Amino acid sequence: MFTSRAYATEQDLQQMEDLLMEARSRTDDWRYWHVGDLAFVFFMVACHLRPQGHIRLWYSKEGRLIAYAMLGEDPSFDYQVLPGYEWVGIEEEAIAWAETRLTELRARDALRWGGGLVAVARQDDVQRIAFLQQHGFQYSGGFAEVNLLRSLDDPIPEATLPSGYQVRTVAGTGEVSDRAAIQHDVWHPWAVGNISGDDYAYLMQLPGYYRDLDVVTVAPDGVIAAYVNGWIDPVNRIGDFGPVGARAAYRRRGLTRAALLECLRRMRARGMDRVCVATGASNTPALRLYESIGFRVVNESLNYVKLV
């Protein structure tokens, strides 16, 4: 009924993004990842691992991509299956593939690949939760993330910046090193912060990346002080923020807020009618920031862990 193979080229990434957009159009907003989530997680896999060894693709007998699975660092696991092909065996194959790969990786580097296999399920996705539990995953306690949503029908307020600061598109190749550096400064020592200028230049070439949605707030001396990566799903007309951040020395000045508001305007100009974002449930400053510009919590995600 279906076949599978390893990820091969960036054409596969485009097909994975198309799968998510089609799946979202046929279900609700939160059952499937936003293409922005996929793009950045893929980028992390490409930076630190090998997509060919950490992504598996499933095809229908007609050759159509119908599912994929990813095994990332931590170790983390996710699978996405197109509606109409769910619960016919792909999910079981995906878990078996992830566990086999994890065993192989641990044989080479037990320290790096230790710990339980983590999968995330939104709290209202009862089928996914039941499936994970049936296959040995247990709820780890607490919420992993909260999901927030904002309509672009509502007014977008103007930002007030300190004198000399400006909000603009990232400048391109001449600014790649500083763009990568702020990612590192905000997120180090987590894996998401371990990227180089060359890595970021690669991100800028991936399907789904739009430079005008890579918005930065720049200090008077030219240093990038805050940023947001914006992503769009033109099929479902929903944007996504992530990652978002500001260097520690520039926080609490409204700089991240200004970048977010500008990105909202740009997404609306591109035809989006909603924007989503996710953050840690305990990240009170981020939650207050998003809520202050019109976002409201609509869902929550849970971590499930399996000892393999």
Side-chain angles (χ1 to χ4, degrees), residues 108-120:
R108 300 174 197 167
D109 190 340
L111 182 61
R112 181 178 184 184
W113 293 99
L117 183 61
V118 179
V120 175

Side-chain angles (χ1 to χ4, degrees), residues 132-211:
L132 290 172
Q133 291 175 329
Q134 289 165 8
H135 288 80
F137 287 81
Q138 296 183 346
Y139 174 48
S140 65
F143 291 116
E145 287 187 328
V146 291
N147 310 118
L148 300 98
L149 188 68
R150 185 201 199 277
S151 171
L152 289 177
D153 291 334
D154 298 331
I156 300 172
E158 294 295 326
T160 301
L161 284 172
S163 177
Y165 286 81
Q166 62 172 316
V167 177
R168 59 168 170 78
T169 301
V170 69
T173 55
E175 204 167 44
V176 164
S177 293
D178 196 34
R179 185 64 182 82
I182 188 174
Q183 182 78 20
H184 178 274
D185 292 351
V186 171
W187 295 99
H188 184 76
W190 295 284
V192 70
N194 296 330
I195 66 172
S196 67
D198 288 343
D199 291 333
Y200 204 83
Y202 174 70
L203 171 68
M204 296 174 79
Q205 302 302 314
L206 290 179
Y209 173 89
Y210 296 94
R211 190 156 67 88

Side-chain angles (χ1 to χ4, degrees), residues 240-259:
D240 178 58
F241 287 149
V244 177
R247 283 183 160 115
Y250 294 93
R251 291 174 187 164
R252 303 185 68 83
R253 302 188 196 183
L255 307 182
T256 306
R257 186 176 192 271

Side-chain angles (χ1 to χ4, degrees), residues 48-62:
H48 303 141
L49 306 169
R50 288 182 63 256
Q52 291 77 8
H54 290 262
I55 300 175
R56 192 78 185 168
L57 308 173
W58 280 261
Y59 292 85
S60 69
K61 62 181 180 181
E62 296 81 18

Side-chain angles (χ1 to χ4, degrees), residues 24 28-32 122 147-149 276-277 298-299:
R24 274 187 168 237
D28 63 86
D29 284 343
W30 302 107
R31 189 175 173 190
Y32 290 89
R122 288 178 167 77
N147 310 118
L148 300 98
L149 188 68
C276 59
V277 67
V298 294
N299 213 324

Side-chain angles (χ1 to χ4, degrees), residues 21 24 29-30 32-39 122 147-153 156 208 210 213 228-244 260 262-278 290 295-296 298:
M21 289 188 284
R24 274 187 168 237
D29 284 343
W30 302 107
Y32 290 89
W33 280 14
H34 190 280
V35 290
D37 297 324
L38 169 60
R122 288 178 167 77
N147 310 118
L148 300 98
L149 188 68
R150 185 201 199 277
S151 171
L152 289 177
D153 291 334
I156 300 172
Y210 296 94
L213 299 179
V228 54
N229 283 103
W231 311 90
I232 58 171
D233 173 347
V235 174
N236 299 288
R237 299 176 64 191
I238 182 169
D240 178 58
F241 287 149
V244 177
L260 290 166
E262 177 61 22
C263 202
L264 286 175
R265 282 187 281 271
R266 295 180 181 201
M267 288 179 173
R268 185 166 63 185
R270 280 183 167 271
M272 301 301 105
D273 58 25
R274 299 162 294 165
V275 179
C276 59
V277 67
Y290 295 134
F295 283 88
R296 296 293 177 264
V298 294

Side-chain angles (χ1 to χ4, degrees), residues 71-89:
L71 177 64
E73 295 178 290
D74 295 331
S76 60
F77 165 67
D78 185 72
Y79 64 87
Q80 303 282 319
V81 184
L82 194 67
Y85 295 92
E86 298 170 296
W87 317 119
V88 293

